[in-house]
Amino acid sequence: MPGHKTTHTQMARYQLIDSLLADGKIVPFDDILAFLRSELRDTKLSESSVRRDIRYMREELSVPIAYDEKNHGWKYTKPFQFPAQGFSDDEILSLHLMRKLLAQHASDDVFYKSFDSLLQKITPKQDESSFLERFFVPARPKFLIKPGVSEKVLYALKHNVLLDFYYNSRWEPEERHRRIMPFQIVIDEGALYLYGAKKSPNPNPRLFKLSKMHNVELLSSESFDLPENFRFHEEFEQGRFGAFQYDEWYEFKIEFYGEARGHVRDFVWADDQIIEENQKEEKTTLTFTSSQWIPIVHWVLSFGKNAKPIEPDWFVAEIEKNL
């Protein structure tokens, strides 16, 4: 005989339990169960399901709910009200998918752990046989960040104090000492970057990859005032090729062949892009403007013989040099 399947969500039950306890009353468990069965029109709602709900609210959602031994009922130990809006089944599925997408770039830093902990708290659990099993998100390589680095960066951001560290730049052969005012965290394809600058009249901010930062120290006695133009996106054109800063724009023209043609048509690479099809020559031409030329070089090279740069001339020469 098939088991009973509820049509309501766990979040709906949490909301109803909250409505009973929010005004400070002490409510016996049997009354809670009867109330839920009545409101949800579910006479088969089990005692064990409701007990699991209460336990989940207390242990996972940090709801201040406790059993009063003297008065034989459940109560809130301090004033509390559950969020007014519950989640639909589709919204619960979306929360689970968000956790899966976040886990694709899982790492041991405090930012990832905080995001995952928050999602875990607000996401109601689903049965193992749920529709969620129809979705799979493969894991990606994760960045290695030295223990304590992300915690110190977060503290410096909160308190506007300087960070002292050594940095291995991809552009410089030797590790260099840095003393930086931290402005923002920039997140790109799972990688964490610190956007900051030297404390000077001409700060010239830049990006620092957290995985390349070593011997990080907080200079708690050296604070700074956040400048008006501290935001990365206000200083540099973002484009759609990730976190790369440059202040000159260029118009790129690239021809694509073979299987690369379909891939290029699947995405918006720039807001002003123009895609031209030439079926006779079996090529797709993409024209767009951007300042993010280094990621674009890597992107074009990834297509091998199926991508041919046309403009500008220096970009064509750069591709030929790499080849």
Side-chain angles (χ1 to χ4, degrees), residues 32-217:
I32 295 176
L33 179 60
F35 178 70
L36 264 61
R37 285 175 173 174
S38 173
E39 291 295 315
L40 298 170
R41 298 179 182 178
D42 183 2
T43 58
K44 295 183 179 180
L45 178 62
S46 69
E47 176 182 330
S48 59
S49 293
V50 178
R51 292 194 184 278
R52 281 196 299 269
D53 288 342
I54 293 174
R55 184 168 62 250
Y56 185 84
M57 291 172 69
R58 182 179 66 245
E59 297 178 358
E60 302 296 336
L61 303 181
S62 300
V63 176
I65 186 172
Y67 187 73
D68 189 311
E69 296 284 352
K70 181 180 179 181
N71 295 291
H72 308 292
W74 290 91
K75 67 176 184 180
Y76 280 167
T77 58
K78 61 181 179 181
F80 179 83
Q81 187 169 16
F82 214 69
Q85 297 296 325
F87 297 124
S88 67
D89 288 336
D90 286 343
E91 289 170 334
I92 292 174
L93 176 64
S94 297
L95 286 169
H96 280 283
L97 287 176
M98 286 173 62
R99 287 196 69 197
K100 283 180 174 285
L101 290 169
L102 179 65
Q104 186 176 49
H105 295 289
S107 64
D108 296 326
D109 66 272
V110 67
F111 298 101
Y112 167 76
K113 290 180 178 178
S114 297
F115 294 156
D116 186 62
S117 176
L118 174 62
L119 285 175
Q120 186 176 10
K121 282 185 176 181
I122 65 175
T123 306
K125 293 181 179 178
Q126 289 189 334
D127 296 333
E128 293 182 0
S129 59
S130 71
F131 188 59
L132 184 66
E133 297 300 317
R134 306 295 290 273
F135 296 85
F136 173 70
V137 181
R140 305 280 298 190
K142 63 181 181 180
F143 292 90
L144 297 177
I145 300 176
K146 296 285 186 183
V149 170
S150 56
E151 287 86 349
K152 291 177 181 178
V153 170
L154 182 59
Y155 181 92
L157 285 170
K158 287 181 177 179
H159 300 279
N160 287 343
V161 297
L162 268 60
L163 278 171
D164 187 279
F165 58 91
Y166 287 85
Y167 191 72
N168 290 316
S169 170
R170 62 180 295 185
W171 312 112
E172 299 165 350
E174 297 181 356
E175 186 176 67
R176 292 197 176 186
H177 176 252
R178 308 285 185 184
R179 184 166 289 186
I180 298 298
M181 298 183 294
F183 293 162
Q184 277 186 308
I185 287 292
V186 178
I187 304 173
D188 183 26
E189 293 188 344
L192 295 172
Y193 298 84
L194 170 66
Y195 181 59
K198 294 180 181 179
K199 191 175 183 180
S200 65
N202 299 306
N204 188 28
R206 55 167 291 186
L207 289 171
F208 300 91
K209 205 170 190 177
L210 265 64
S211 60
K212 295 181 178 293
M213 294 169 59
H214 307 279
N215 300 325
V216 180
E217 296 294 338

